[in-house]
Amino acid sequence: MSTKEGPGTRWRTPVAASALLIACAGGLFWLRCVYIALHSRLSTDPLTDPHGYELFIGTVLALPAAAVVAVAAPFVVEPGSNRIRLAKIVATLLVVLTALPAAALFTA
């Protein structure tokens, strides 16, 4: 007896593993960018970032890194309602948390 697999199940594991690696790498890069931006903004030492380049570059690079995570993360789980729920949660969290360095960039 052989069981018939559904369409696309052959590539399910490699796609999920690749998506997990891409999402983790993008997430770590995003976290580093947010840390750099917030560290630059919240530092009391004027010599930490005298010209504000860390704040600007960290904020600008955090946006595409968040987009990579938001696109790759849902492919880790199986298709269906779990994927949609994960996409909504990840996208919402990244938008809210990426707004922090963006708000820090534009506050005096």
Side-chain angles (χ1 to χ4, degrees):
M1 265 196 247
S2 66
T3 59
K4 245 186 146 175
E5 295 180 357
T9 55
R10 177 181 180 186
W11 296 103
R12 178 72 208 114
T13 303
V15 168
S18 300
L20 182 64
L21 288 173
I22 291 169
C24 287
L28 289 173
F29 183 69
W30 174 82
L31 192 62
R32 180 68 178 154
C33 290
V34 170
Y35 171 76
I36 287 171
L38 291 179
H39 180 266
S40 171
R41 180 66 182 130
L42 300 176
S43 177
T44 56
D45 185 12
L47 296 178
T48 300
D49 186 18
H51 303 292
Y53 289 127
E54 289 179 357
L55 178 62
F56 181 71
I57 298 297
T59 303
V60 169
L61 290 179
L63 296 174
V68 167
V69 174
V71 168
F75 288 100
V76 175
V77 297
E78 292 184 14
S81 63
N82 289 337
R83 181 179 283 183
I84 296 169
R85 188 176 329 140
L86 181 65
K88 288 178 182 178
I89 291 170
V90 168
T92 304
L93 282 174
L94 287 173
V95 166
V96 169
L97 294 176
T98 304
L100 291 175
L105 181 63
F106 295 114
T107 58

